[in-house]
Amino acid sequence: MDHLLELDGLSVSYRTADGPLPAVRGVDLVVDAGEVVGIAGESGCGKSTLASTVLRLQPKDAVVEGEVLVAGRDVLTMGWGDLRALRWAEASIVFQGALHSLNPVRRIETQIAEPIQLHEPGLSTAEVTARVGELLEQVGIPAARSRVYPHQLSGGQRQRVMIAMALACRPQLIVADEPTTALDVMVQAQILDLISGLVKDLGVGMLIISHDLSVLSDVCDRVAVMYAGRVVECGSAEQVFRAPAHPYAKALAQAFPRVGDPAARYAPAGLAGDPPDPHAPPPGCTFEPRCTLAVDACREAEPPLLDIGGRQSACIRVGAA
């Protein structure tokens, strides 16, 4: 049986005046029905590029290699007609920043109805209106508020509208790119509960992108940690957050503040330095310049992503263990 989403050797680079700029490098990943898979990492590690490539939304200056299979079909090679049919109906995306994604001069009912009318032209106006109301109720917004404009909703409500739009045509795969960005912690918790409930109740698969580890730890079954465009660790959420194997994954976990822990309060952990310049990556392991455990061998070759005890990690120390 096909995975809902399968990335096989996915690489994405951008054409620039200084030459190709690699953003995603050789990523392999799968998402199955009823599963939430998270992508973690610092800004610039390739998370959003990966998310946009799933539905072939990358800009024209992007060069893509590898395969992106949605329900067994390669998104990168299918014709525009098939791609248009796949978007919304089989796979949809929740963009970060709902205020910038929603049309400010159109009522939310019109915006949610648009993909339904496009993919199910046989429905009557009354049936579409009823579907919009059901979707809003499903995400916790009264159907009576369907005629308001985006600016008349709070940040959390606008994000709920974005999720309702993503569910409009009953897709099996949802890509959520930073779905709780700029939301306060209380609203963030509500959105995460909503996402978890929808995945469980509807049996859909979700790929969720975030730099916030607390978001991923709350909702994900598995997590892939990206650094400099490639996955350096992948495993269950509990493995990655409680016992990370890769030094970068460990640094991310330690940087997450722990409420009520005096040690974390008075000696906050962090990670010195910055991610490498994609135009001039360091030799060997790209994390070596920032790694406190680095040895000379780390500069010789980039470690492969190896299977270790039910997870994967790309570190010379892990491979030698």
Side-chain angles (χ1 to χ4, degrees), residues 80-146:
W80 281 108
D82 290 336
L83 181 62
R84 184 182 183 187
L86 178 140
R87 291 172 177 170
W88 295 104
E90 295 183 47
S92 60
I93 187 167
V94 179
F95 294 104
Q96 58 178 305
L99 185 60
H100 305 293
S101 301
L102 295 171
N103 190 325
V105 298
R106 300 181 70 196
R107 301 180 193 274
I108 62 171
E109 65 173 355
T110 305
Q111 299 186 59
I112 298 174
E114 184 175 8
I116 301 174
Q117 293 166 332
L118 177 65
H119 288 276
E120 300 182 50
L123 293 180
S124 67
T125 300
E127 289 173 321
V128 172
T129 300
R131 173 83 70 81
V132 170
E134 291 171 1
L135 287 164
L136 288 174
E137 295 283 355
Q138 196 171 34
V139 298
I141 296 177
R145 302 218 66 195
S146 65

Side-chain angles (χ1 to χ4, degrees), residues 197-265:
L198 290 173
V199 171
K200 181 179 179 180
D201 296 341
L202 302 179
V204 300
M206 179 174 286
L207 180 68
I208 182 169
I209 314 295
S210 182
H211 63 272
D212 189 336
L213 295 187
S214 64
V215 169
L216 301 181
S217 65
D218 282 345
V219 300
C220 292
D221 299 299
R222 291 187 295 115
V223 173
V225 178
M226 290 186 68
Y227 185 78
R230 71 185 293 242
V231 173
V232 296
E233 178 150 355
C234 186
S236 70
E238 183 174 1
Q239 287 175 326
V240 172
F241 295 124
R242 293 186 180 275
H246 193 280
Y248 177 64
K250 185 175 182 179
L252 285 182
Q254 290 178 338
F256 177 63
R258 297 177 295 279
V259 177
D261 184 349
R265 178 181 177 185

Side-chain angles (χ1 to χ4, degrees), residues 168-192:
C169 297
R170 303 186 178 97
Q172 286 302 297
L173 173 68
I174 299 174
V175 179
D177 186 8
E178 302 278 8
T180 58
T181 296
L183 300 179
D184 64 68
V185 292
M186 295 300 292
V187 176
Q188 177 176 287
Q190 295 170 7
I191 296 298
L192 295 178

Side-chain angles (χ1 to χ4, degrees), residues 5-7 10 53-54 66-70 73-76:
L5 173 66
E6 182 175 1
L7 307 181
L10 178 64
T53 307
V54 170
E67 292 183 327
V68 178
L69 305 179
V70 174
R73 297 189 297 159
D74 193 347
V75 172
L76 302 178

